[in-house]
Amino acid sequence: MDDPLRLEVIVASVRPERFAPVVADWFLRTARADTGLDVGFIDLAHTPLPTDLTTTPQVEAFRERIGAADGFIAVTSEYNHGYPASLKTALDSAKREWRAKPIGFVGYGGLSGGLRAIEQLRQVVAEIHMVSLRESVSFHEAKRKFDADGNTADGAAVDAAQRLLRQWAWWARHLRTARRTDPYPG
């Protein structure tokens, strides 16, 4: 494809012993199997964003990368019924760069599978003029859902990931065209 859609997969958890890399690597393999996508990876554990929202060279580079993307998938854990503070800092570190772009979610955690975090995030991304996709992927008791090689036999999650990527690509393609022909007035 001459002009592939640019998807940035953002990994939210920054905890030292996080499970995020297992879930993120699985989703990245799934997304990269789609040849119509140019898939990037932003690991917030390795993306220095100041919590006081000052502008630094790292923040400027982050904003440029967000601005160049056609949309996002956030891989998020659920901590204490919410999403990680690192993801809120990332969302607050850019502004116009997020606008009129789709975002989907891959959640994981204990019994809720990250769904409470995802529901909270839908409110936040609406405020910054993003399009939150209805479909999401959720891993309940995530550590039991993956084998030693990072693969899952969770058919519902595999199916949800495919639906999420198809919906993401549809929104990304149409919103990219709209941003080019009629810039978003936000």
Side-chain angles (χ1 to χ4, degrees):
M1 180 177 241
D2 292 339
D3 195 13
L5 295 167
R6 177 68 181 174
L7 166 63
E8 289 286 0
V9 176
I10 301 171
V11 179
S13 177
V14 298
R15 289 186 175 181
E17 295 180 19
R18 64 197 176 140
F19 191 68
V22 174
V23 180
D25 289 346
W26 168 80
F27 186 77
L28 284 164
R29 286 191 307 273
T30 301
R32 288 177 174 154
D34 186 329
T35 58
L37 301 179
D38 176 17
V39 181
F41 176 64
I42 299 173
D43 187 342
L44 295 179
H46 306 293
T47 306
L49 298 172
T51 56
D52 64 1
L53 303 180
T54 56
T55 301
T56 64
Q58 293 87 355
V59 171
E60 286 299 323
F62 177 75
R63 287 179 183 155
E64 286 179 27
R65 190 161 177 185
I66 297 305
D70 290 306
F72 312 91
I73 301 290
V75 176
T76 186
S77 53
E78 182 179 309
Y79 300 141
N80 302 316
H81 292 212
Y83 56 91
S86 56
L87 186 51
K88 181 67 163 94
T89 298
L91 292 167
D92 290 345
S93 292
K95 187 173 182 176
R96 289 172 179 81
E97 296 86 355
W98 297 113
R99 291 182 177 173
K101 295 180 181 179
I103 185 165
F105 301 100
V106 175
Y108 65 95
L111 291 177
S112 79
L115 292 174
R116 291 177 291 222
I118 290 169
E119 288 306 310
Q120 291 175 19
L121 282 163
R122 291 185 196 287
Q123 296 173 43
V124 174
V125 300
E127 186 61 25
I128 55 177
H129 302 255
M130 297 181 81
V131 175
S132 173
L133 302 182
R134 185 219 171 269
E135 193 64 55
S136 62
V137 179
S138 176
F139 288 101
H140 307 270
E141 298 183 353
K143 291 182 180 178
R144 296 180 181 191
K145 300 291 182 177
F146 290 87
D147 64 20
D149 296 321
N151 297 310
T152 185
D154 185 334
V158 171
D159 183 54
Q162 292 302 319
R163 286 192 317 270
L164 174 61
L165 286 166
R166 283 193 307 271
Q167 289 177 11
W168 182 89
W170 188 91
W171 279 105
R173 189 172 43 259
H174 291 286
L175 288 172
R176 176 169 67 181
T177 299
R179 287 191 312 275
R180 289 178 178 172
T181 60
D182 185 17
Y184 184 72

